[in-house]
Amino acid sequence: MQQLTKSWLRASDHLANSVLEANRATLAALGFSNGGQSEKRQTKPNVESVAYDEQDWTDTRTVETPEDIQPGDVVTFSKTISEEDVHSFARASGDTNRLHLDDSFASETRFKGRIAHGTLVSGLISAALARLPGVVVYLSQDTRFLSPVEIGERLTAEAEVVEVLDTDRFRLSTTVTNEDEEAVIDGEAVVLVDPAPDGGE
């Protein structure tokens, strides 16, 4: 079993690196580069996030090393909230509220149909934070739910550093927006960022 796990991790790492390199090549071909970074940042090696990715997901970030994180830096993460996501979250969390799972029941509510779990949607903020360089540890999250999310909507979470609290702790504004760029969630997070362990990049 241990050998199987190691093989799977090696294969996953190879796939993730291949996708990353393909994305970088595409961005370079389209004329995008890191030319706007300071000379100080250009001399340091980039640190990949420690998060895995899937084909439907997209993300961006404006900082490449944990020690360079500063106010104004932004990370984003986008994905479509699918039927499978809703059912998997219901099973994993135990939140089997019929509002999320039963079309007939949900059609009689104020929402006139099923909606995604609020906590599932707010999880996209965690996904965005995981794209910071290094190992991100959540310390706190304040959240306001502004609008329901229909199943099938593509959402984007954005986290912007607003304050450096310590050398490894940061306060960030957090939002999740829909395809019309309307905020469905906003709030604030505090995170701790450690360097990635050797072999964890």
Side-chain angles (χ1 to χ4, degrees):
M1 178 63 95
Q2 186 176 11
Q3 185 61 37
L4 181 62
T5 301
K6 286 181 180 178
S7 298
W8 181 85
L9 288 172
R10 277 197 303 272
S12 297
D13 186 52
H14 177 72
L15 176 62
N17 286 335
S18 298
V19 170
L20 180 63
E21 290 307 317
N23 286 342
R24 284 183 176 154
T26 301
L27 289 173
L30 292 173
F32 294 99
S33 70
N34 291 331
Q37 294 179 346
S38 67
E39 184 176 347
K40 174 185 173 187
R41 292 188 182 199
Q42 290 174 339
T43 62
K44 294 182 179 178
N46 292 350
V47 176
E48 303 300 340
S49 77
V50 297
Y52 296 110
D53 282 311
E54 291 194 8
Q55 189 172 8
D56 176 57
W57 304 348
T58 57
D59 58 82
T60 64
R61 70 177 182 190
T62 62
V63 61
E64 298 300 332
T65 60
E67 60 268 29
D68 281 341
I69 298 173
Q70 60 188 344
D73 280 321
V74 175
V75 287
T76 69
F77 175 80
S78 301
K79 79 177 297 289
T80 301
I81 300 296
S82 69
E83 190 76 49
E84 181 183 359
D85 292 332
V86 171
H87 285 276
S88 295
F89 184 83
R91 283 190 298 273
S93 67
D95 182 353
T96 54
N97 186 330
R98 292 171 65 190
L99 175 62
H100 310 302
L101 304 171
D102 184 328
D103 286 307
S104 178
F105 175 86
S107 69
E108 301 297 321
T109 69
R110 69 170 65 210
F111 303 108
K112 305 304 180 191
R114 290 190 300 132
I115 61 171
H117 301 74
T119 308
L120 168 59
V121 174
S122 68
L124 273 63
I125 296 169
S126 181
L129 292 170
R131 270 66 188 176
L132 284 166
V135 179
V136 178
V137 179
Y138 243 131
L139 298 180
S140 68
Q141 175 75 54
D142 293 323
T143 305
R144 286 194 317 141
F145 296 93
L146 306 175
S147 181
V149 170
E150 294 181 5
I151 298 163
E153 284 193 76
R154 186 167 184 83
L155 305 175
T156 298
E158 178 178 294
E160 179 176 351
V161 178
V162 295
E163 184 180 6
V164 178
L165 302 174
D166 203 343
T167 55
D168 58 357
R169 287 171 172 78
F170 307 91
R171 184 169 62 86
L172 304 97
S173 64
T174 56
T175 59
V176 179
T177 56
N178 59 23
E179 293 176 83
D180 296 325
E181 299 185 355
E182 298 169 340
V184 298
I185 289 177
D186 70 11
E188 187 175 274
V190 175
V191 300
L192 166 80
V193 182
D194 285 331
D198 290 340
E201 297 176 15

